[in-house]
Amino acid sequence: MNTLQLVWKNISQQWGSTLLSIILTAFGVAILVSIYITSDTFEKQLDSNSKQVDLVVGAKGSPLQLILSALYHVDNPTGNIKLAEAEKLMENPFIEKAVPISLGDNFKGHRIIGTDTSFIGLYELQLAEGRLWNKSYEVVLGSETARKNKLKIGDQIHGAHGLAENAHVHDEHPFTIVGILKPNGSIVDNLLLSNLESVWDIHGIHHEDHDHEHAEGDGHDHGSHADHDHDHAGETAAEHAAHDHDHDHDHAGETAAEHAAHDHDHDHAGGTAAEHAAHDHDHDHDQDHSGTNTDTVVEEIVSERPRNDVFVKSIAEDITQDKGLEITAMLVKYSSPAAIGVIPKLINQSTSMQAASPALETARLFSLMGVGIDSLEILAYVIMIIAGLSVFISLYNALKDRKYDLAIMRTLGASKIKLFTLLIVEGLVITFIGGIIGLLIGHIGLYFISTQTSQSADFIQAFHIYGKEWLILLIASLIGVIASILPAIKAYNTNISTILGNK
């Protein structure tokens, strides 16, 4: 019977303590593998997605949220910014490239990004088949988007409103797939790319030149030198400003005459109050206070009258005016390292937008995550050390019951080295089995975690084998070997005569 057969026979005789050691080792390895794979792939994704982007410009809010939404597509945007204001950045000599992106829809969790062809150059993307879009409602797929959904050139898909997979589907606006990108190793592999006009059109946003129309009644007086307030019993007040013109207004049962000119005399009858403002003129006001307080109201209004050379902006116009086209964010690449100290400060202080640096925000993100990751790593190693102690206690206690068997083996010709090796291999086998099970648990756990996340954030390759996993398995096995050394030394020093004599 060889060494492995003897080891397996010994293990099978004490399944209780052996299973405990295996389970503890497996959990420790699973935690370490999960931490390593997640942090490693996450760091690689951060590097690959931000290596060509020096700055992200978007709406005011959390800089970290802006980076996560516009660059890594794992959060909601902070809002929209005006396209015209963002495009002014392109004129800055410190900026080499500024790529607009617009979010709003998704396809089965994969985000649909409205952009222009400069996005292709920014991420150094290449087509595997097909072509780029050249009109609205044509879309180019990332490699993972096409693979996971089994899509091909010519297929039509329907986007869902918002960034949630189960949102309202735009059945009336299908996208036609015209291209599929080669794998890039970035978040783009899980996206869908189209032009900005597609995003605007699908949400009913016009992107032609706009004629600004204002509601009637929003009158503005420019350059007039007289303001007129009229109070008519039972009628609506009308205001007119003109230079040397006469205006006659006929109302049912009443007539109101208003004139704005220099050196005119005004006669008022029937309790009507008229006020005129002119340069270097004195005005006489006849007011009728018979049973009403309308003149008091007029006086209060007149006292608040602005100067005649001040433009009075209509609130209604401010509400109805066209706000212009908007995008979600702008991805900026510097033309010079000197821009680092100039552009972010310029944007944050002189515009309604905010600038966020991917390098700074990802470093801050890792500092926030670092405490939790380090704590989990410490916990995993503690669990593995406990597993080693379990192996040690199991083997040490087993020697009490197996010392007679060891003595018989010695009498049959087994050397002290044979007994020493037997105990070392036994500890190694227990922790090795636990390590293999831990690797399986870690990968299966990561797979289920990845299926619960958004498709656009699905960057974890759960069943890909990483080189460091073998190092983790080696560490687990070494813990088993170290735990077995003391029991193996005791077996090595077995006194045959004493044990057999006592038996």
Side-chain angles (χ1 to χ4, degrees):
M1 186 176 290
N2 58 33
T3 302
L4 288 178
Q5 289 176 325
L6 287 172
V7 167
W8 184 254
K9 183 175 178 63
N10 291 333
I11 289 175
S12 62
Q13 289 178 349
Q14 46 183 359
W15 275 116
S17 58
T18 300
L19 282 176
L20 177 61
S21 301
I22 290 174
I23 291 172
L24 288 173
T25 305
F27 274 112
V29 170
I31 294 173
L32 284 175
V33 167
S34 300
I35 291 173
Y36 167 70
I37 293 177
T38 303
S39 60
D40 183 69
T41 54
F42 189 54
E43 186 174 357
K44 287 180 179 177
Q45 280 290 321
L46 292 181
D47 291 339
S48 63
N49 288 322
S50 63
K51 64 181 179 181
Q52 299 295 333
V53 180
D54 299 313
L55 197 70
V56 178
V57 180
K60 298 285 188 182
S62 167
L64 181 57
Q65 182 182 355
L66 176 59
I67 294 296
L68 292 176
S69 62
L71 208 54
Y72 306 119
H73 302 282
V74 292
D75 201 352
N76 293 319
T78 55
N80 288 332
I81 58 176
K82 292 182 179 179
L83 177 61
E85 187 177 18
E87 285 180 335
K88 291 180 181 178
L89 294 174
M90 299 179 184
E91 303 172 3
N92 195 298
F94 284 112
I95 292 179
E96 176 184 337
K97 184 179 294 185
V99 180
I101 62 169
S102 190
L103 307 177
D105 292 325
N106 76 93
F107 171 71
K108 295 184 178 180
H110 300 270
R111 296 191 180 187
I112 300 174
I113 309 298
T115 184
D116 57 29
T117 52
S118 61
F119 187 93
I120 303 297
L122 182 67
Y123 282 92
E124 300 176 350
L125 303 176
Q126 295 181 346
L127 284 168
E129 54 181 309
R131 59 174 175 83
L132 295 179
W133 64 87
N134 53 30
K135 63 181 180 180
S136 296
Y137 300 116
E138 290 186 341
V139 67
V140 175
L141 306 185
S143 58
E144 287 299 299
T145 305
R147 182 186 65 83
K148 293 175 183 177
N149 297 281
K150 299 179 181 179
L151 297 171
K152 60 183 184 299
I153 302 295
D155 289 348
Q156 287 194 336
I157 59 174
H158 295 85
H161 182 68
L163 304 179
E165 183 177 354
N166 56 353
H168 169 69
V169 177
H170 297 293
D171 293 324
E172 68 280 7
H173 296 296
F175 283 90
T176 301
I177 300 172
V178 297
I180 297 175
L181 298 171
K182 291 181 179 179
N184 181 254
S186 68
I187 194 64
V188 180
D189 292 341
N190 283 286
L191 300 179
L192 298 88
L193 305 179
S194 186
N195 60 9
L196 289 167
E197 289 77 11
S198 297
V199 177
W200 293 333
D201 288 341
I202 206 168
H203 295 98
I205 300 174
H206 300 289
H207 47 86
E208 302 291 338
D209 292 335
H210 297 281
D211 292 329
H212 302 284
E213 298 180 358
H214 305 291
E216 294 182 2
D218 295 331
H220 302 280
D221 300 336
H222 304 280
S224 65
H225 300 285
D227 295 333
H228 309 279
D229 295 329
H230 308 278
D231 187 279
H232 302 281
E235 295 291 328
T236 303
E239 300 178 4
H240 304 276
H243 298 285
D244 302 329
H245 291 285
D246 297 327
H247 305 277
D248 294 329
H249 303 275
D250 295 330
H251 301 281
E254 290 189 6
T255 301
E258 301 176 5
H259 305 281
H262 299 286
D263 301 319
H264 289 284
D265 295 326
H266 305 278
D267 297 327
H268 309 281
T272 302
E275 299 177 4
H276 304 275
H279 296 290
D280 302 321
H281 292 282
D282 295 325
H283 304 277
D284 295 326
H285 304 282
D286 296 328
Q287 299 177 343
D288 186 5
H289 302 280
S290 56
T292 66
N293 61 354
T294 57
D295 294 320
T296 302
V297 176
V298 170
E299 289 178 1
E300 293 176 356
I301 296 174
V302 171
S303 66
E304 297 294 330
R305 177 184 297 163
R307 298 192 310 273
N308 54 12
D309 60 344
V310 176
F311 173 70
V312 182
K313 186 176 182 181
S314 170
I315 297 177
E317 180 192 5
D318 190 44
I319 295 175
T320 58
Q321 69 181 353
D322 190 348
K323 297 296 182 181
L325 296 175
E326 294 183 337
I327 58 174
T328 304
M330 185 82 80
L331 308 181
V332 175
K333 184 178 181 180
Y334 294 145
S335 61
S336 168
I340 298 174
V342 176
I343 299 300
K345 185 176 180 180
L346 174 68
I347 294 172
N348 290 329
Q349 295 183 357
S350 304
T351 71
S352 61
M353 305 178 292
Q354 76 163 333
S357 169
L360 293 177
E361 296 305 320
T362 51
R364 188 161 71 93
L365 178 61
F366 268 111
S367 67
L368 294 174
M369 294 175 55
V371 177
I373 292 176
D374 292 342
S375 299
L376 286 174
E377 285 185 352
I378 293 172
L379 175 62
Y381 282 114
V382 168
I383 292 175
M384 291 176 65
I385 290 172
I386 293 174
L389 290 174
S390 175
V391 171
F392 166 74
I393 294 171
S394 174
L395 295 178
Y396 195 85
N397 290 333
L399 284 176
K400 296 178 181 179
D401 299 326
R402 293 160 51 189
K403 60 183 179 180
Y404 181 76
D405 296 335
L406 295 176
I408 295 297
M409 290 178 61
R410 286 293 309 278
T411 59
L412 295 176
S415 65
K416 291 184 176 182
I417 296 297
K418 177 75 173 182
L419 299 184
F420 182 89
T421 304
L422 186 65
L423 270 293
I424 292 294
V425 172
E426 188 170 337
L428 175 63
V429 168
I430 292 174
T431 51
F432 182 79
I433 293 174
I436 293 295
I437 294 175
L439 292 179
L440 293 175
I441 293 175
H443 282 279
I444 294 172
L446 286 174
Y447 171 76
F448 283 107
I449 290 173
S450 64
T451 59
Q452 300 301 315
T453 60
S454 171
Q455 290 288 346
S456 63
D458 183 16
F459 55 84
I460 298 177
Q461 296 180 346
F463 295 110
H464 179 75
I465 303 298
Y466 295 84
K468 197 172 180 179
E469 294 182 48
W470 303 114
L471 179 60
I472 296 174
L473 182 60
L474 178 61
I475 292 173
S477 301
L478 285 176
I479 290 175
V481 171
I482 294 171
S484 306
I485 289 177
L486 191 58
I489 292 174
K490 190 175 180 180
Y492 180 87
N493 294 325
T494 300
N495 191 319
I496 301 175
S497 59
T498 302
I499 294 174
L500 294 179
N502 295 331
K503 189 68 176 177

